[in-house]
């Protein structure tokens, strides 16, 4: 818990973390899971050693996705995801809220009620469009349609 109180002051390191985040996204879409895991773990390590910044919550949500998919410790992944969302409230991450909510839903959304997950994705969609990130908004909309169909919602 000590590292949560320590804020990352080095702007160069913040840009490195942001760059690694883009590498994670690229490796994810190119379907190279071991590269995704490497960069997520690398950024998590940098955050643990140097403190938290506005990019830390997303990294720990991505880490919870990796833990969840490995099937080793679902309770740990759920706790990390919830703590990452709580950590995001410490920073002004309005431009990242869509991505944070989408990653939370992908990580541990199946542990929530389907209606709660659909509501989270609706917020994700609205947040993405209001911040001008149409690509993320439509990706959230796709997940929202899937979740709404599974939950039996009549309205999207």
């Amino acid at each position: 818990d000590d590292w949560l109180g320590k804020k990352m002051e080095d702007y160069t390191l913040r840009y490195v973390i942001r760059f690694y985040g883009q590498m994670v996204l690229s490796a994810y879409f190119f379907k190279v899971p071991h590269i995704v895991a490497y960069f997520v773990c690398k950024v998590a390590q940098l955050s643990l050693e140097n403190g938290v910044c506005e990019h830390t919550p997303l990294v720990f949500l991505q880490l919870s996705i990796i833990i969840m998919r490995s099937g080793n410790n679902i309770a740990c992944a759920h706790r990390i995801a919830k703590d990452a969302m709580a950590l995001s409230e410490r920073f002004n991450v309005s431009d990242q809220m869509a991505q944070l909510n989408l990653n939370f839903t992908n990580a541990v959304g199946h542990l929530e009620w389907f209606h709660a997950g659909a509501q989270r994705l609706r917020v994700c969609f609205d947040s993405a469009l209001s911040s001008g990130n149409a690509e993320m908004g439509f990706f959230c909309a796709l997940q929202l349609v899937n979740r709404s169909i599974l939950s039996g919602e009549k309205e999207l």
Side-chain angles (χ1 to χ4, degrees), residues 72-83:
N72 291 336
N73 197 338
I74 294 171
C76 179
H78 189 248
R79 181 174 178 205
I80 290 171
K82 289 183 82 142
D83 289 346

Side-chain angles (χ1 to χ4, degrees), residues 1-2 23 32-33 51 59-60 107 115 117 153:
D1 287 339
D2 294 340
M23 295 296 290
V32 190
V59 168
F60 281 96
H115 295 293
E153 285 194 16

Side-chain angles (χ1 to χ4, degrees), residues 16-32:
V16 168
I17 287 176
R18 192 170 178 189
F19 173 74
Y20 282 169
Q22 294 301 316
M23 295 296 290
V24 167
L25 196 59
S26 297
Y28 173 78
F29 282 113
F30 282 111
K31 302 198 183 303
V32 190

Side-chain angles (χ1 to χ4, degrees), residues 59-116:
V59 168
F60 281 96
L61 282 169
Q62 292 167 337
L63 181 64
S64 68
I65 291 172
I66 292 170
I67 294 170
M68 184 64 77
R69 290 197 175 150
S70 71
N72 291 336
N73 197 338
I74 294 171
C76 179
H78 189 248
R79 181 174 178 205
I80 290 171
K82 289 183 82 142
D83 289 346
M85 290 303 288
L87 180 62
S88 71
E89 295 172 3
R90 290 179 50 187
F91 300 99
N92 181 17
V93 291
S94 58
D95 58 327
Q96 293 181 23
M97 282 313 293
Q99 195 171 7
L100 291 171
N101 280 311
L102 181 65
N103 277 292
F104 182 86
T105 303
N106 287 336
V108 294
H110 62 282
L111 299 176
E112 296 181 332
W113 291 96
F114 277 110
H115 295 293

Side-chain angles (χ1 to χ4, degrees), residues 102 105-106 114-115 117-118 121-122 138-153 155-156:
L102 181 65
T105 303
N106 287 336
F114 277 110
H115 295 293
L121 286 167
R122 195 171 286 112
F138 289 118
F139 195 68
C140 291
L142 174 66
Q143 299 293 321
L144 174 60
V145 169
N146 288 337
R147 182 67 58 118
S148 296
I149 289 171
L150 291 173
S151 67
E153 285 194 16
E155 294 183 17
L156 290 177

